[in-house]
């Protein structure tokens, strides 16, 4: 039995706490002791063993059966890949074909699903076997031989700035990341409770689930669709569960902070850790969230802005519990700007900043190595455990931890100056009618006769001309550069990855086409 399988088995079988899953159909929470989850995982392991495949795919909202199948793969030494559910506006047949194609490409011979997604996958003519995840309920709960796998998780990368790839994560790296988080955040089953709505196909969602199981803490798990339908329910869940630990991307904190006046009758006094990751941190936005939630007991010291990536399972850096949001001020196009300190590396990880051409003074490319690092990308050369992995992110190190400025490929060069897209995007997001988290700033292609700034934003309002003028004036005043192109789009128009990140290169191509 590998280290991950052993740790999960020991923790779940000895735990006296529960996994509590939200049933969307009845809108009720259902408790499942971790010991029951382990028993169901053994049933799933038996079914997976019968299929004879070394890797499985999983698609669907979190149910007890789906979660048990994730752990069933891990405790039986099989590889698991969790794939995105169908997004709004997608063609069902095309989604099913693409999903089964991805399952086949990663070497998984079977995919488990349920609900609408199951029906769509079954209707497709694919060599990949499709199973109803509820089949695990009909299998005996008995141990199976643990396969000697080198890969526990086949984790898809976001592909926000390029073609998505699959990171190969070993059992040791998955366990190391979980234990690094437990140590840094001082997670303790005697008083901690988690509350999670992040998608399990995203590295942060899956890592939070695995970390909760390894730590043996109670976990309230809600489908992402339930949050998307009503984001303020997150606060209700935190209040009801008396959760001490939660996590979300930057846009979720910004959204609630922006409309904090709508909040009532919740108690957030138990929250001691609110991880903010997966996106660049908007310091002002998180402060707005903390201020708006203070009357409901939320402590700003709970703020935990972090840095991570799928290639490192999830977490790379994390502040110590109770630190709160700390900032570093740097010179930008419009004067002093605030950047979030993302904490020091978790146990087992190392971080450095390496100088690169055209980056601002003191800023370099972030490179990482350590016990959580992937062994490589599927179909590509394996990574030497002692080598440094270039993340493609730019930043620098301070005594208070890592500061991330942006992606190396996304720096905008105009008139001999370099501007990070987030600087522009945070300014544009403040324009009335512009949707939070739905702004993209890019530069014209290198070699263009007239280098310039291009902005695309989703907008809901009547006067587009006035909004477009406001964007131009505000960006010029704050960032010192007037956009050459401003495109306002209907809500939901900007292309995104399966994890919700904006596809910058695709947006750039759209903006370029409008100028030809």
């Amino acid at each position: 039995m590998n280290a991950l399988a052993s740790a999960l088995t020991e923790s779940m079988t000895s735990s006296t706490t529960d996994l509590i899953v939200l049933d969307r159909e009845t809108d009720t929470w259902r408790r499942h002791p971790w010991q029951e989850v382990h028993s169901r995982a053994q049933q799933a392991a038996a079914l997976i063993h019968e299929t004879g495949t070394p890797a499985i795919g999983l698609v669907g909202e979190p149910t007890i059966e789906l979660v048990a199948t994730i752990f069933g793969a891990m405790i039986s030494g099989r590889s698991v890949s969790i794939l995105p559910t169908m997004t709004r506006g997608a063609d069902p047949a095309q989604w099913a074909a693409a999903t089964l194609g991805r399952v086949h490409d990663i070497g998984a011979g079977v995919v488990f699903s349920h609900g609408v997604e199951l029906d769509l996958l079954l209707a497709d003519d694919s060599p990949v076997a499709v199973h109803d995840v509820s089949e695990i309920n009909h299998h005996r709960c008995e141990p199976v031989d643990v396969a000697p796998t080198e890969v526990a998780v086949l984790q898809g990368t976001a592909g926000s700035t390029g073609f998505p790839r699959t990171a190969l994560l070993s059992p040791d790296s998955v366990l190391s990341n979980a234990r690094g988080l437990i140590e840094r955040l001082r997670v303790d089953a005697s008083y901690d409770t988690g509350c999670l709505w992040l998608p399990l196909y995203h590295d942060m969602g899956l890592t939070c689930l695995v970390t909760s199981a390894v730590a043996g803490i109670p976990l309230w798990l809600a489908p992402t669709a339930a949050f998307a339908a009503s984001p303020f329910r997150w606060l209700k869940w935190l209040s009801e569960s008396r959760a001490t630990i939660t996590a979300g991307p930057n846009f979720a904190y910004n959204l609630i902070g922006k409309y904090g006046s709508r909040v009532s009758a919740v108690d957030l006094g138990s929250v001691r850790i609110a991880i903010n990751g997966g996106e660049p941190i908007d310091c002002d936005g998180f402060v707005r969230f903390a201020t708006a939630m203070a009357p409901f007991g939320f402590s700003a010291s709970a703020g935990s802005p972090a840095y991570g990536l799928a290639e490192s399972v999830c977490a790379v850096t994390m502040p110590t519990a109770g630190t709160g949001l700390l900032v570093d001020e740097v010179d930008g196009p419009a004067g002093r700007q605030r950047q979030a300190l993302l904490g020091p590396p978790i146990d087992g990880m190392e971080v450095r900043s390496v100088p690169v051409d055209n980056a601002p003074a003191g800023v370099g490319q972030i490179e990482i190595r350590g016990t959580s690092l992937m062994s490589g990308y599927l179909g590509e050369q394996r990574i030497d455990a002692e080598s440094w992995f270039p993340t493609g992110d730019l930043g620098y190190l301070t005594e208070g931890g890592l500061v991330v400025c942006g992606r190396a490929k996304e720096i905008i060069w105009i008139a001999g100056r370099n501007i990070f897209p987030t600087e522009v995007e945070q300014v544009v997001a403040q324009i009335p009618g512009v949707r939070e988290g739905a702004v993209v700033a890019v530069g014209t292609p290198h070699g263009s006769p007239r280098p310039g700034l291009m902005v695309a934003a989703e907008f809901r309002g009547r006067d587009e001309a006035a909004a477009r003028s406001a964007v131009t004036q505000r960006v010029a005043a704050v960032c010192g550069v007037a956009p050459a192109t401003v495109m306002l789009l209907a809500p939901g128009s900007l292309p995104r990855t399966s994890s919700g990140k904006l596809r910058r290169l695709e947006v750039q191509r759209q903006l370029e086409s409008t100028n030809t």
Side-chain angles (χ1 to χ4, degrees):
M1 183 175 290
N2 63 57
L4 176 62
S6 178
L8 287 170
T9 297
E10 180 180 356
S11 176
M12 289 194 286
T13 55
S14 62
S15 175
T16 58
T17 63
D18 306 322
L19 171 69
I20 306 97
V21 182
L22 179 65
D23 184 327
R24 283 197 71 200
E25 292 186 4
T26 62
D27 195 31
T28 56
W29 293 94
R30 298 186 177 181
R31 288 184 174 271
H32 303 276
W34 279 115
Q35 294 183 10
E36 176 197 335
V37 178
H38 182 263
S39 295
R40 287 175 177 262
Q42 287 186 309
Q43 292 176 287
L47 177 57
I48 296 169
H49 179 71
E50 287 183 7
T51 67
T53 181
I56 67 165
L58 276 172
V59 183
E61 292 185 344
T63 61
I64 182 58
E65 290 85 5
L66 188 136
V67 172
T69 304
I70 294 173
F71 291 124
M74 291 180 175
I75 67 174
S76 65
R78 271 68 178 182
S79 305
V80 61
S81 179
I82 308 173
L83 296 103
T85 54
M86 186 171 61
T87 57
R88 184 178 61 181
D91 177 84
Q94 291 182 5
W95 170 83
T99 298
L100 289 168
R102 289 181 62 184
V103 173
H104 179 269
D105 290 344
I106 62 176
V110 61
V111 61
F112 293 88
S113 188
H114 64 89
V116 174
E117 283 84 5
L118 174 65
D119 294 336
L120 292 173
L121 295 173
L122 285 170
D124 188 88
D125 183 16
S126 169
V128 175
V130 179
H131 287 264
D132 187 333
V133 74
S134 66
E135 291 179 30
I136 70 168
N137 296 324
H138 308 301
H139 277 67
R140 293 181 61 185
C141 177
E142 57 185 22
V144 299
D145 293 333
V146 179
T149 183
E150 296 181 357
V151 180
V153 178
L154 294 152
Q155 181 64 59
T157 62
S160 58
T161 59
F163 188 76
R165 293 186 282 185
T166 300
L168 306 178
L169 306 175
S170 71
D172 287 343
S173 64
V174 174
L175 180 59
S176 178
N177 208 251
R179 285 177 168 167
L181 286 170
I182 291 170
E183 184 276 333
R184 178 58 49 82
L185 299 176
R186 300 170 187 163
V187 181
D188 190 322
S190 67
Y191 54 78
D192 277 320
T193 295
C195 180
L196 180 67
W197 55 263
L198 298 172
L200 299 183
Y201 59 77
H202 189 273
D203 52 63
M204 188 156 64
L206 180 58
T207 298
C208 286
L209 172 65
V210 173
T211 301
S212 298
V214 172
I217 66 170
L219 176 65
W220 292 56
L221 180 62
T224 305
F227 167 84
S230 180
F232 288 90
R233 294 184 71 190
W234 183 18
L235 305 180
K236 177 184 176 183
W237 299 333
L238 291 172
S239 181
E240 183 179 352
S241 66
R242 305 300 298 163
T244 60
I245 305 173
T246 192
N250 189 74
F251 86 85
Y253 293 103
N254 274 5
L255 176 66
I256 292 176
K258 188 174 183 179
Y259 300 103
S261 59
R262 301 180 182 181
V263 179
S264 63
V266 295
D267 182 357
L268 308 180
S270 295
V271 179
R272 71 178 188 87
I273 298 170
I275 299 172
N276 187 341
E279 296 177 332
I281 308 299
D282 178 355
C283 296
D284 293 338
F286 190 81
V287 169
R288 186 165 56 245
F289 168 86
T291 301
M293 295 302 104
F296 304 101
F298 182 81
S299 172
S301 65
S304 300
Y307 173 66
L309 58 159
E311 289 84 350
S312 182
V313 181
C314 179
V316 175
T317 70
M318 178 72 68
T320 302
T323 300
L325 173 66
L326 300 179
V327 301
D328 189 42
E329 293 193 352
V330 297
D331 291 325
R336 302 292 286 177
Q337 295 180 334
R338 287 155 38 100
Q339 299 276 14
L341 298 180
L342 306 179
I346 63 171
D347 189 44
M349 293 302 296
E350 296 178 78
V351 178
R352 72 180 184 182
S353 177
V354 180
V356 293
D357 294 338
N358 298 318
V363 174
Q365 178 168 208
I366 298 168
E367 295 187 349
I368 64 173
R369 69 178 179 183
T371 54
S372 293
L373 187 62
M374 67 177 181
S375 54
Y377 291 114
L378 182 66
E380 300 183 26
Q381 186 175 359
R382 294 299 180 97
I383 295 176
D384 186 329
E386 297 300 318
S387 63
W388 289 91
F389 174 74
T391 65
D393 291 319
L394 295 178
Y396 58 94
L397 297 168
T398 72
E399 291 184 359
L402 177 68
V403 173
V404 176
C405 302
R407 297 285 294 176
K409 294 181 180 179
E410 296 172 1
I411 288 185
I412 303 169
W413 288 277
I414 300 176
R417 299 165 51 194
N418 38 48
I419 299 173
F420 288 106
T422 52
E423 299 172 5
V424 178
E425 291 162 359
Q426 291 175 9
V427 169
V428 176
Q430 298 172 14
I431 304 297
V434 172
R435 296 189 72 200
E436 193 79 44
V439 183
V440 172
V442 296
T444 52
H446 296 304
S448 298
R450 297 181 61 186
L453 173 66
M454 303 186 293
V455 177
E458 293 180 2
F459 175 75
R460 178 180 280 121
R462 296 181 178 180
D463 196 341
E464 287 192 13
R468 191 175 291 107
S469 176
V471 169
T472 300
Q473 294 176 10
R474 186 67 180 271
V475 172
V478 177
C479 300
V481 177
T485 300
V486 176
M487 179 186 292
L488 298 181
L489 306 168
S493 298
L494 289 173
R496 295 177 181 269
T497 68
S498 60
S499 61
K501 295 182 180 180
L502 293 164
R503 293 188 180 274
R504 295 183 178 277
L505 293 183
E506 190 171 334
V507 174
Q508 185 173 37
R509 286 191 289 268
Q510 292 179 0
L511 286 167
E512 290 169 5
S513 66
T514 66
N515 294 329
T516 57

